[in-house]
Coordinates of all heavy atoms in Angstrom, one line a residue:
E768 N 6.2 -4.1 -15.7 CA 4.9 -3.8 -16.2 C 3.9 -4.0 -15.1 O 3.8 -5.1 -14.5 CB 4.6 -4.6 -17.5 CG 5.5 -4.3 -18.7 CD 5.1 -5.0 -19.9 OE1 3.9 -5.1 -20.2 OE2 6.0 -5.5 -20.6
F769 N 3.0 -3.0 -14.9 CA 2.0 -3.1 -13.9 C 2.6 -3.3 -12.5 O 1.8 -3.6 -11.6 CB 1.0 -4.2 -14.2 CG 0.2 -3.9 -15.4 CD1 0.3 -4.8 -16.5 CD2 -0.7 -2.8 -15.5 CE1 -0.5 -4.6 -17.7 CE2 -1.4 -2.6 -16.7 CZ -1.3 -3.5 -17.8
G770 N 3.9 -3.1 -12.3 CA 4.5 -3.3 -11.0 C 4.5 -4.7 -10.6 O 4.4 -5.0 -9.4
L771 N 4.6 -5.7 -11.5 CA 4.6 -7.1 -11.2 C 5.7 -7.4 -10.2 O 6.8 -6.9 -10.4 CB 4.7 -7.9 -12.5 CG 3.6 -7.8 -13.5 CD1 3.9 -8.6 -14.7 CD2 2.2 -8.2 -12.9
G772 N 5.4 -8.2 -9.2 CA 6.4 -8.5 -8.2 C 6.6 -7.4 -7.2 O 7.6 -7.4 -6.4
G773 N 5.9 -6.3 -7.3 CA 6.1 -5.1 -6.4 C 7.0 -4.0 -7.0 O 7.2 -3.0 -6.3
H774 N 7.5 -4.2 -8.2 CA 8.4 -3.2 -8.7 C 7.7 -2.0 -9.4 O 7.6 -1.9 -10.6 CB 9.4 -3.9 -9.7 CG 10.3 -4.9 -9.1 ND1 11.4 -4.5 -8.3 CD2 10.2 -6.2 -9.0 CE1 12.0 -5.6 -7.9 NE2 11.3 -6.7 -8.3
A775 N 7.2 -1.2 -8.5 CA 6.5 0.0 -9.0 C 7.1 1.2 -8.2 O 7.4 1.2 -7.1 CB 5.0 0.0 -8.7
L776 N 7.3 2.3 -9.0 CA 7.8 3.6 -8.4 C 6.7 4.4 -7.7 O 5.6 4.4 -8.2 CB 8.5 4.4 -9.4 CG 9.6 3.8 -10.3 CD1 10.0 4.7 -11.4 CD2 10.7 3.4 -9.4
R777 N 7.1 5.0 -6.6 CA 6.1 5.9 -5.9 C 6.8 7.1 -5.3 O 7.9 7.0 -4.7 CB 5.4 5.1 -4.8 CG 4.4 4.1 -5.3 CD 3.7 3.4 -4.2 NE 2.5 2.6 -4.7 CZ 2.7 1.4 -5.3 NH1 3.8 0.8 -5.3 NH2 1.6 0.8 -5.7
F778 N 6.2 8.3 -5.5 CA 6.7 9.5 -4.9 C 6.1 9.6 -3.5 O 4.9 9.3 -3.2 CB 6.3 10.7 -5.7 CG 7.2 11.0 -6.8 CD1 6.8 10.7 -8.1 CD2 8.4 11.6 -6.6 CE1 7.6 11.0 -9.2 CE2 9.3 11.9 -7.7 CZ 8.9 11.6 -9.0
T779 N 7.0 10.1 -2.5 CA 6.5 10.5 -1.2 C 6.0 11.9 -1.3 O 6.2 12.6 -2.3 CB 7.6 10.4 -0.2 OG1 8.6 11.4 -0.5 CG2 8.3 9.0 -0.2
R780 N 5.2 12.3 -0.3 CA 4.7 13.7 -0.2 C 5.9 14.7 -0.2 O 5.8 15.8 -0.7 CB 3.9 13.9 1.0 CG 2.6 13.1 1.0 CD 1.6 13.6 0.1 NE 0.4 12.8 0.0 CZ -0.7 13.0 -0.7 NH1 -0.7 14.1 -1.4 NH2 -1.7 12.2 -0.7
S781 N 7.0 14.3 0.4 CA 8.2 15.2 0.4 C 9.0 15.2 -0.8 O 10.0 15.9 -0.9 CB 9.1 14.8 1.6 OG 9.5 13.4 1.5
G782 N 8.6 14.4 -1.8 CA 9.3 14.4 -3.1 C 10.3 13.4 -3.4 O 11.0 13.4 -4.4
E783 N 10.6 12.5 -2.4 CA 11.5 11.4 -2.6 C 10.8 10.3 -3.4 O 9.6 10.2 -3.5 CB 12.0 10.9 -1.3 CG 12.9 11.8 -0.5 CD 13.5 11.2 0.7 OE1 12.6 10.8 1.6 OE2 14.7 11.2 0.9
L784 N 11.7 9.4 -4.0 CA 11.2 8.4 -4.8 C 11.4 7.0 -4.1 O 12.5 6.7 -3.8 CB 11.9 8.4 -6.2 CG 11.3 7.4 -7.3 CD1 9.9 7.8 -7.7 CD2 12.3 7.4 -8.5
L785 N 10.3 6.3 -3.9 CA 10.4 5.0 -3.3 C 10.6 3.9 -4.4 O 9.9 3.9 -5.4 CB 9.1 4.6 -2.5 CG 9.0 3.3 -1.8 CD1 10.1 3.2 -0.7 CD2 7.6 3.0 -1.3
V786 N 11.7 3.1 -4.2 CA 12.1 2.2 -5.2 C 12.3 0.8 -4.6 O 13.0 0.7 -3.6 CB 13.4 2.6 -5.9 CG1 13.9 1.6 -7.0 CG2 13.3 4.0 -6.5
Q787 N 11.7 -0.2 -5.2 CA 12.0 -1.6 -4.8 C 13.0 -2.1 -5.8 O 12.7 -2.3 -7.0 CB 10.7 -2.4 -4.9 CG 10.9 -3.9 -4.5 CD 9.7 -4.7 -4.5 OE1 8.7 -4.4 -3.9 NE2 9.7 -5.8 -5.3
L788 N 14.2 -2.4 -5.4 CA 15.3 -2.7 -6.3 C 15.8 -4.1 -6.1 O 16.1 -4.5 -5.0 CB 16.5 -1.7 -6.0 CG 17.6 -1.8 -7.0 CD1 17.2 -1.1 -8.3 CD2 18.9 -1.1 -6.5
A789 N 15.8 -4.9 -7.2 CA 16.3 -6.3 -7.2 C 17.7 -6.3 -7.9 O 17.9 -5.6 -8.9 CB 15.3 -7.2 -7.9
R790 N 18.5 -7.2 -7.4 CA 19.8 -7.4 -8.0 C 20.1 -8.9 -8.0 O 19.6 -9.7 -7.2 CB 20.9 -6.7 -7.3 CG 20.9 -5.2 -7.4 CD 22.1 -4.5 -6.8 NE 22.0 -4.6 -5.3 CZ 23.0 -4.4 -4.5 NH1 24.2 -4.3 -4.9 NH2 22.8 -4.4 -3.2
G791 N 20.9 -9.4 -9.0 CA 21.3 -10.8 -9.0 C 22.1 -11.3 -7.8 O 22.0 -12.4 -7.4
D792 N 22.9 -10.4 -7.3 CA 23.8 -10.8 -6.2 C 23.5 -10.1 -4.9 O 24.4 -10.0 -4.0 CB 25.3 -10.4 -6.7 CG 25.4 -8.9 -7.0 OD1 24.4 -8.2 -7.0 OD2 26.6 -8.5 -7.2
A793 N 22.2 -9.8 -4.7 CA 21.8 -9.3 -3.4 C 20.3 -9.4 -3.3 O 19.6 -9.5 -4.3 CB 22.2 -7.8 -3.3
A794 N 19.8 -9.4 -2.1 CA 18.4 -9.5 -1.9 C 17.7 -8.2 -2.4 O 18.3 -7.2 -2.4 CB 18.0 -9.7 -0.4
T795 N 16.4 -8.3 -2.7 CA 15.7 -7.2 -3.1 C 15.4 -6.3 -1.9 O 15.1 -6.8 -0.8 CB 14.3 -7.6 -3.7 OG1 14.6 -8.4 -4.9 CG2 13.5 -6.4 -4.1
E796 N 15.6 -5.0 -2.0 CA 15.5 -4.0 -0.9 C 14.7 -2.8 -1.4 O 14.5 -2.5 -2.5 CB 16.9 -3.5 -0.4 CG 17.9 -4.6 -0.1 CD 17.6 -5.3 1.3 OE1 16.6 -4.9 1.9 OE2 18.4 -6.1 1.7
L797 N 14.2 -2.1 -0.4 CA 13.5 -0.8 -0.6 C 14.4 0.4 -0.3 O 15.2 0.4 0.6 CB 12.3 -0.7 0.3 CG 11.1 -1.7 0.1 CD1 10.1 -1.5 1.2 CD2 10.5 -1.5 -1.3
Y798 N 14.4 1.3 -1.2 CA 15.2 2.5 -1.1 C 14.4 3.8 -1.3 O 13.3 3.8 -1.9 CB 16.3 2.6 -2.3 CG 17.3 1.5 -2.2 CD1 17.1 0.2 -2.7 CD2 18.6 1.8 -1.7 CE1 18.1 -0.7 -2.6 CE2 19.6 0.9 -1.7 CZ 19.4 -0.4 -2.1 OH 20.3 -1.4 -2.1
L799 N 14.8 4.9 -0.7 CA 14.3 6.2 -0.9 C 15.3 7.0 -1.6 O 16.4 7.2 -1.1 CB 13.8 6.9 0.4 CG 12.4 6.5 0.9 CD1 12.2 7.2 2.3 CD2 11.3 6.9 -0.1
A800 N 15.0 7.5 -2.8 CA 16.0 8.3 -3.6 C 15.7 9.8 -3.5 O 14.5 10.2 -3.7 CB 16.0 7.8 -5.0
D801 N 16.7 10.5 -3.1 CA 16.6 12.0 -3.1 C 17.0 12.5 -4.5 O 18.2 12.5 -4.8 CB 17.4 12.6 -2.0 CG 17.3 14.1 -1.9 OD1 17.1 14.8 -2.9 OD2 17.3 14.6 -0.7
L802 N 16.1 12.9 -5.3 CA 16.4 13.2 -6.7 C 17.3 14.4 -6.9 O 18.2 14.4 -7.7 CB 15.1 13.3 -7.5 CG 14.1 12.1 -7.5 CD1 12.9 12.4 -8.4 CD2 14.9 10.9 -8.1
D803 N 17.0 15.4 -6.1 CA 17.8 16.6 -6.1 C 19.2 16.4 -5.7 O 20.2 16.9 -6.3 CB 17.1 17.7 -5.3 CG 15.8 18.2 -5.9 OD1 15.7 18.4 -7.1 OD2 14.8 18.2 -5.1
A804 N 19.4 15.7 -4.6 CA 20.8 15.4 -4.1 C 21.5 14.3 -4.9 O 22.7 14.2 -4.8 CB 20.7 15.1 -2.6
G805 N 20.8 13.5 -5.6 CA 21.4 12.4 -6.3 C 21.9 11.3 -5.4 O 22.8 10.5 -5.7
T806 N 21.2 11.1 -4.3 CA 21.6 10.1 -3.3 C 20.4 9.2 -3.0 O 19.2 9.5 -3.3 CB 22.1 10.7 -2.0 OG1 21.0 11.5 -1.4 CG2 23.3 11.6 -2.2
A807 N 20.6 8.1 -2.4 CA 19.5 7.2 -2.0 C 19.9 6.5 -0.6 O 21.1 6.3 -0.4 CB 19.3 6.1 -3.0
R808 N 18.9 6.2 0.2 CA 19.1 5.5 1.4 C 18.3 4.2 1.4 O 17.1 4.2 1.0 CB 18.9 6.4 2.6 CG 17.5 6.9 2.7 CD 17.4 8.0 3.8 NE 16.1 8.6 3.9 CZ 15.0 8.2 4.6 NH1 15.2 7.1 5.4 NH2 13.9 8.9 4.6
R809 N 18.9 3.2 1.9 CA 18.2 1.9 2.0 C 17.3 1.8 3.2 O 17.7 2.1 4.3 CB 19.2 0.8 2.0 CG 18.6 -0.6 1.6 CD 19.6 -1.7 1.5 NE 20.2 -2.0 2.8 CZ 21.2 -2.8 3.0 NH1 21.8 -3.3 2.0 NH2 21.6 -3.1 4.2
L810 N 16.0 1.4 3.1 CA 15.1 1.4 4.2 C 15.1 0.0 4.9 O 14.7 -0.1 6.0 CB 13.7 1.7 3.7 CG 13.4 3.0 3.1 CD1 11.9 3.1 2.7 CD2 13.8 4.1 4.0
T811 N 15.5 -1.0 4.1 CA 15.3 -2.4 4.6 C 16.7 -3.1 4.6 O 17.6 -2.7 4.0 CB 14.3 -3.2 3.8 OG1 14.7 -3.1 2.4 CG2 12.9 -2.6 3.9
D812 N 16.7 -4.3 5.2 CA 17.9 -5.1 5.2 C 17.5 -6.6 5.1 O 17.7 -7.4 6.0 CB 18.7 -4.9 6.5 CG 20.1 -5.5 6.4 OD1 20.5 -5.8 5.3 OD2 20.8 -5.5 7.4
F813 N 16.7 -6.9 4.0 CA 16.2 -8.2 3.9 C 17.2 -9.3 3.6 O 17.0 -10.5 3.8 CB 15.2 -8.2 2.7 CG 14.0 -7.4 2.9 CD1 13.5 -6.4 2.0 CD2 13.2 -7.5 4.1 CE1 12.4 -5.7 2.2 CE2 12.1 -6.8 4.4 CZ 11.7 -5.8 3.4
G814 N 18.4 -8.9 3.2 CA 19.4 -9.8 2.8 C 20.5 -9.9 3.9 O 21.6 -10.4 3.5
A815 N 20.3 -9.5 5.1 CA 21.3 -9.5 6.1 C 21.9 -10.9 6.4 O 23.1 -11.0 6.7 CB 20.8 -8.9 7.4
G816 N 21.1 -11.9 6.1 CA 21.6 -13.3 6.4 C 22.3 -14.0 5.2 O 22.7 -15.1 5.3
L817 N 22.4 -13.3 4.1 CA 23.0 -13.9 2.9 C 24.5 -13.8 2.9 O 25.1 -12.8 3.4 CB 22.4 -13.3 1.6 CG 20.9 -13.5 1.4 CD1 20.5 -12.7 0.1 CD2 20.6 -15.0 1.2
P818 N 25.2 -14.7 2.3 CA 26.6 -14.6 2.1 C 27.0 -13.5 1.2 O 26.1 -13.0 0.4 CB 27.1 -16.0 1.5 CG 25.8 -16.5 0.9 CD 24.7 -16.0 1.7
D819 N 28.2 -13.0 1.3 CA 28.6 -11.8 0.5 C 29.3 -12.2 -0.8 O 29.9 -11.3 -1.5 CB 29.5 -10.9 1.3 CG 30.7 -11.6 1.9 OD1 31.0 -12.8 1.5 OD2 31.5 -11.0 2.7
D820 N 29.3 -13.4 -1.2 CA 30.0 -13.8 -2.4 C 29.0 -14.3 -3.5 O 29.3 -15.2 -4.3 CB 31.0 -14.9 -2.2 CG 30.3 -16.2 -1.5 OD1 29.2 -16.1 -1.2 OD2 31.0 -17.2 -1.4
L821 N 27.8 -13.7 -3.6 CA 26.8 -14.0 -4.6 C 27.3 -13.6 -6.0 O 28.1 -12.7 -6.1 CB 25.5 -13.4 -4.2 CG 24.9 -13.7 -2.9 CD1 23.6 -13.0 -2.6 CD2 24.7 -15.3 -2.7
V822 N 26.7 -14.2 -7.0 CA 27.2 -14.0 -8.3 C 26.2 -13.2 -9.1 O 25.0 -13.6 -9.1 CB 27.5 -15.4 -9.0 CG1 27.9 -15.1 -10.5 CG2 28.5 -16.1 -8.3
A823 N 26.6 -12.2 -9.8 CA 25.8 -11.4 -10.7 C 25.9 -12.0 -12.2 O 27.0 -12.5 -12.5 CB 26.1 -10.0 -10.7
P824 N 24.9 -11.9 -13.0 CA 25.0 -12.4 -14.3 C 25.6 -11.5 -15.3 O 25.6 -10.2 -15.1 CB 23.5 -12.7 -14.7 CG 22.8 -11.6 -14.0 CD 23.5 -11.4 -12.7
T825 N 26.0 -12.0 -16.5 CA 26.3 -11.2 -17.6 C 25.3 -11.5 -18.7 O 24.6 -12.5 -18.7 CB 27.7 -11.5 -18.1 OG1 27.8 -12.9 -18.5 CG2 28.8 -11.2 -17.1
V826 N 25.2 -10.6 -19.7 CA 24.2 -10.8 -20.8 C 25.0 -11.3 -22.0 O 26.0 -10.8 -22.4 CB 23.5 -9.4 -21.1 CG1 22.6 -9.6 -22.3 CG2 22.8 -8.9 -19.9
V827 N 24.4 -12.4 -22.5 CA 25.0 -13.0 -23.7 C 23.8 -13.2 -24.7 O 22.6 -13.1 -24.3 CB 25.7 -14.3 -23.5 CG1 26.9 -14.2 -22.6 CG2 24.7 -15.3 -22.8
R828 N 24.1 -13.4 -26.0 CA 23.0 -13.4 -26.9 C 23.2 -14.6 -27.9 O 24.3 -14.8 -28.4 CB 22.9 -12.1 -27.7 CG 22.7 -10.9 -26.9 CD 22.5 -9.6 -27.6 NE 22.6 -8.5 -26.7 CZ 21.7 -8.1 -25.9 NH1 20.5 -8.7 -25.8 NH2 21.9 -7.1 -25.0

Side-chain angles (χ1 to χ4, degrees):
E768 294 185 44
F769 295 116
L771 297 176
H774 294 283
L776 304 176
R777 288 182 169 83
F778 276 104
T779 67
R780 296 285 177 179
S781 57
E783 293 184 301
L784 188 66
L785 180 64
V786 180
Q787 179 179 306
L788 190 75
R790 292 184 286 160
D792 56 354
T795 300
E796 305 283 3
L797 294 174
Y798 292 81
L799 276 175
D801 185 323
L802 301 180
D803 293 311
T806 59
R808 58 190 175 91
R809 196 175 72 187
L810 299 181
T811 57
D812 195 11
F813 294 129
L817 293 176
D819 56 9
D820 58 350
L821 303 179
V822 177
T825 58
V826 178
V827 295
R828 302 185 195 279

